[in-house]
Amino acid sequence: MFLTLRSKILVGYLLIVLLLAGLGVYAVMSFRSFTTLSNKAFEQVSQADRSNLAIYESLIRLNEAEVDLLGSSPVKGMEMLSSEPAKVSSELTTAEKIISSIPSDLSPGLAAAFTKEEILWHQYQAQLPEFLRRIKDDPIEAGKFYDGVLIPTYGNLTTANRNLATAISKLFERTRQLASEESADAVSTVILITVLSLLIGIGASILIGRQTTKPLEQIRASLKKLQAGDLSARLQVEGVDELGAVSFEFNRMAERLEGYEKLNIDRLVAEKSKSEAVILSFTDPLFLFDAGNKLLLANRSAEELLSRKEAEMIGDSVESLFLDKSVLEAIRLESERKQPQVLEFIVNKKRKFYTISKIEIVAPTSEQGSTVVGTLLHFADITHFEELDRLKNDFLAKVSHEFRTPLTSIRMALDLLADAKIGSLNTEQRELVLTSKMDSDRLTKLIRDLLTVTRIEQHRTDGVTETIDAVAVATSLLASMQRQFTEKNILLSSILPNVLQTRMKQEHFESILQNLLSNALVHTPSGGRVRVDLTSNDSKWQLQVSDTGVGIAEADLSRIFERFVQLKPTDAATPGSIGLGLAIVKELVELYRGSINVTSKVGEGTTFTLQFLIQSDTHRAA
């Protein structure tokens, strides 16, 4: 039966046909299974990515709603705030169903990233009712709550959202990698079976082998292009056989991969456009710098601030944009200051005042690391507040000056009555006159303190042109106040150098020392001690006033320099005191760019330590 060439060829062809039939069935089943699994995986990744993007967009709208509630569009903000949380919760539920169906070995960090985002969302959602309550009760407190609580939580939440997007992107890459591996395995198996078929019928199968392996080589070459990142690779579909179906499915897969890549690029471009739109819409000047400190973006207000167009400034460094050394110093020390520094600019021929906020833009480099990729400078326009402060100071100065003249007349009249210059007084009348004199003294001191604070604020930018001997001024003041300490049985001592010259107005130094000594006198009981130390070195000089008085509770230390704050009952205060003494001291110390520190222990006493830099033209001798 198999002796004839025809029968042998027939048997050989039959074996080859059987092998090829098995090859075709295997290829179809493998590629169909591969296509089904790939489509399902890619669809899950796409759905998870769409839900995460929808969550991010809802978070942006929530933040815009909160800004509207704090600003001029509360109705619009409330509408958005009432609808967006439900959308976020719905998308979280959808994402949770999708992520829970994805095998954990494909993306180990995906579930953890989603859980973190979900936890931060619940935290953020729980803070919204308190924000709404503060909006209703006190918008200012609501603004503080927004800056101090909602914004940090919002930042963490958007960071978690980006981390989840990164995890989804990694899952996409892993799925694509597995698809490529499975496809390569399938191709290798097909090639192996084809080679076996060729070995069985070398002579008769040469033509069949060539016709079979040629399209397979094309598939292999296209897969290599895909692995190299060339998503434009396509196969020519010939016929409707198994190889044609494989080519068709391959082309569909390549088209989907190319579509996914284009979708990611479009999404990145859209996010960049949104960020630029947010920056350009701000009314305050904003400058965006890259990691190399080169300007990337500036809004219209920033152009007006520097009187330059954005196109002219792009690529310039901070030092090239801001030539004023005081501005550069304020930018450099912004994160170290407890209170923002007020800077003055001339914008469109008008004086404007700004405070600077510097925000570093950080991108994660790993699960635990991060790197600074840019810096945002925000110049907050406080011109309106400075104008209000000036009007307040002018009002206080005018009222105080108007009070001084009638008070002087009242005091002179009371002195004449008390000294019996215009007639004798009985005991009751004399007590009334003395009480009125005390009240007059209280009002006089109050007005003097108000005028002092007002003058400090009005002349904060004046240069200091007076050089004084701090030792001589301190010695004179100590001598003039010695009687008050002696009457209260308090020991007043001092440790002073021979000479210490510094550039400071004499009235300011006297005000600092007198207020510190008066404070110590009031809060030190009979039999106590008060000491004044004046020291210096090559770069600084220091004034220290210490007492053995009642001390200050730790909880009250942060309040003692506030205006109109008295920690002791009124009967323990000095005549006319309204809590401005230490506030005046702090204002004067800041005027001369000094520092003030206080240490105290209840029942043991208090120490005030003031330090000032020695100017280059200040002469000091020990």
Side-chain angles (χ1 to χ4, degrees), residues 124-157:
Y124 184 76
Q125 193 177 27
Q127 292 169 353
L128 289 178
E130 177 62 17
F131 174 70
L132 291 174
R133 185 189 67 78
R134 296 194 180 201
I135 281 288
K136 182 178 179 181
D137 296 339
D138 188 349
I140 295 177
E141 286 299 319
K144 294 180 180 178
F145 184 83
Y146 171 79
D147 292 336
V149 178
L150 283 181
I151 282 298
T153 306
Y154 171 78
N156 294 334
L157 183 54

Side-chain angles (χ1 to χ4, degrees), residues 278-381:
V278 170
I279 291 176
L280 294 174
S281 65
F282 264 75
T283 55
D284 286 341
L286 289 176
F287 298 87
L288 180 62
F289 296 89
D290 61 14
N293 228 12
K294 302 297 183 183
L295 185 67
L296 295 176
L297 189 65
N299 63 357
R300 188 172 302 171
S301 298
E303 293 178 338
E304 294 179 355
L305 181 70
L306 299 182
S307 299
R308 294 178 64 187
K309 294 294 183 182
E310 180 190 24
E312 301 173 1
M313 298 186 287
I314 295 299
D316 287 353
S317 65
V318 176
E319 292 77 11
S320 301
L321 293 174
F322 303 101
L323 302 179
D324 192 329
K325 292 183 179 180
S326 62
V327 177
L328 291 174
E329 186 72 6
I331 295 173
R332 185 178 67 84
L333 300 177
E334 185 274 335
S335 59
E336 302 176 7
R337 296 182 184 275
K338 295 181 179 179
Q339 296 292 334
Q341 182 177 349
V342 178
L343 299 173
E344 181 181 345
F345 288 84
I346 303 299
V347 180
N348 296 329
K349 299 181 180 180
K350 295 180 181 179
R351 293 178 63 195
K352 285 197 171 185
F353 298 89
Y354 297 90
T355 59
I356 299 177
S357 298
K358 182 169 62 175
I359 304 171
E360 291 185 343
I361 303 173
V362 180
T365 56
S366 63
E367 291 185 0
Q368 296 181 348
S370 60
T371 182
V372 177
V373 297
T375 303
L376 182 67
L377 287 183
H378 173 212
F379 286 70
D381 189 349

Side-chain angles (χ1 to χ4, degrees), residues 208-482:
I208 300 174
R210 288 179 179 177
Q211 292 177 347
T212 304
T213 57
K214 184 179 180 179
L216 294 177
E217 289 297 332
Q218 291 177 350
I219 294 174
R220 184 179 181 183
S222 298
L223 286 172
K224 286 184 177 180
K225 289 182 179 180
L226 285 181
Q227 291 176 344
D230 183 7
L231 300 181
S232 63
R234 297 291 186 273
L235 291 174
Q236 183 177 355
V237 180
E238 297 178 353
V240 293
D241 58 4
E242 293 81 1
L243 291 176
V246 170
S247 299
F248 178 75
E249 294 297 335
F250 176 87
N251 290 341
R252 285 183 60 189
M253 179 188 70
E255 288 173 359
R256 290 193 178 188
L257 290 175
E258 190 174 20
Y260 287 141
E261 183 181 55
K262 185 176 183 301
L263 180 63
N264 287 335
I265 293 174
D266 291 343
R267 185 181 294 117
L268 290 175
V269 172
E271 293 301 328
K272 180 177 180 294
S273 299
K274 289 179 184 177
S275 300
E276 291 180 352
V278 170
I279 291 176
L280 294 174
S281 65
F282 264 75
T283 55
D284 286 341
L286 289 176
F287 298 87
L288 180 62
F289 296 89
D290 61 14
N293 228 12
K294 302 297 183 183
L295 185 67
L296 295 176
L297 189 65
N299 63 357
R300 188 172 302 171
S301 298
E303 293 178 338
E304 294 179 355
L305 181 70
L306 299 182
S307 299
R308 294 178 64 187
K309 294 294 183 182
E310 180 190 24
E312 301 173 1
M313 298 186 287
I314 295 299
D316 287 353
S317 65
V318 176
E319 292 77 11
S320 301
L321 293 174
F322 303 101
L323 302 179
D324 192 329
K325 292 183 179 180
S326 62
V327 177
L328 291 174
E329 186 72 6
I331 295 173
R332 185 178 67 84
L333 300 177
E334 185 274 335
S335 59
E336 302 176 7
R337 296 182 184 275
K338 295 181 179 179
Q339 296 292 334
Q341 182 177 349
V342 178
L343 299 173
E344 181 181 345
F345 288 84
I346 303 299
V347 180
N348 296 329
K349 299 181 180 180
K350 295 180 181 179
R351 293 178 63 195
K352 285 197 171 185
F353 298 89
Y354 297 90
T355 59
I356 299 177
S357 298
K358 182 169 62 175
I359 304 171
E360 291 185 343
I361 303 173
V362 180
T365 56
S366 63
E367 291 185 0
Q368 296 181 348
S370 60
T371 182
V372 177
V373 297
T375 303
L376 182 67
L377 287 183
H378 173 212
F379 286 70
D381 189 349
I382 60 168
T383 306
H384 178 65
F385 299 104
E386 287 290 320
E387 182 66 18
L388 289 177
D389 194 52
R390 184 188 65 79
L391 292 175
K392 180 262 295 181
N393 291 334
D394 291 344
F395 174 76
L396 286 177
K398 183 174 293 186
V399 171
S400 300
H401 277 294
E402 291 297 328
F403 276 154
R404 292 182 72 177
T405 300
L407 276 175
T408 302
S409 300
I410 293 172
R411 178 58 190 269
M412 290 177 61
L414 292 173
D415 285 339
L416 291 173
L417 290 172
D419 295 339
K421 299 292 185 180
I422 57 176
S424 59
L425 303 176
N426 58 34
T427 303
E428 256 183 46
Q429 292 170 335
R430 184 172 181 78
E431 288 179 357
L432 289 173
V433 170
L434 292 177
T435 301
S436 299
K437 281 185 63 178
M438 292 178 61
D439 290 338
S440 176
D441 290 339
R442 291 172 62 88
L443 284 175
T444 302
K445 187 176 186 303
L446 185 153
I447 291 171
R448 185 172 63 249
D449 288 345
L450 287 175
L451 284 173
T452 300
V453 172
T454 303
R455 283 197 298 268
I456 293 172
E457 292 183 344
Q458 289 177 337
H459 302 288
R460 184 173 289 276
T461 58
D462 291 353
V464 179
T465 58
E466 183 178 351
T467 300
I468 63 169
D469 182 359
V471 176
V473 177
T475 301
S476 175
L477 184 61
L478 288 170
S480 66
M481 296 186 67
Q482 180 63 54

Side-chain angles (χ1 to χ4, degrees), residues 473-491:
V473 177
T475 301
S476 175
L477 184 61
L478 288 170
S480 66
M481 296 186 67
Q482 180 63 54
R483 180 179 177 182
Q484 301 177 46
F485 285 87
T486 302
E487 290 177 351
K488 198 175 176 181
N489 191 27
I490 296 174
L491 176 62

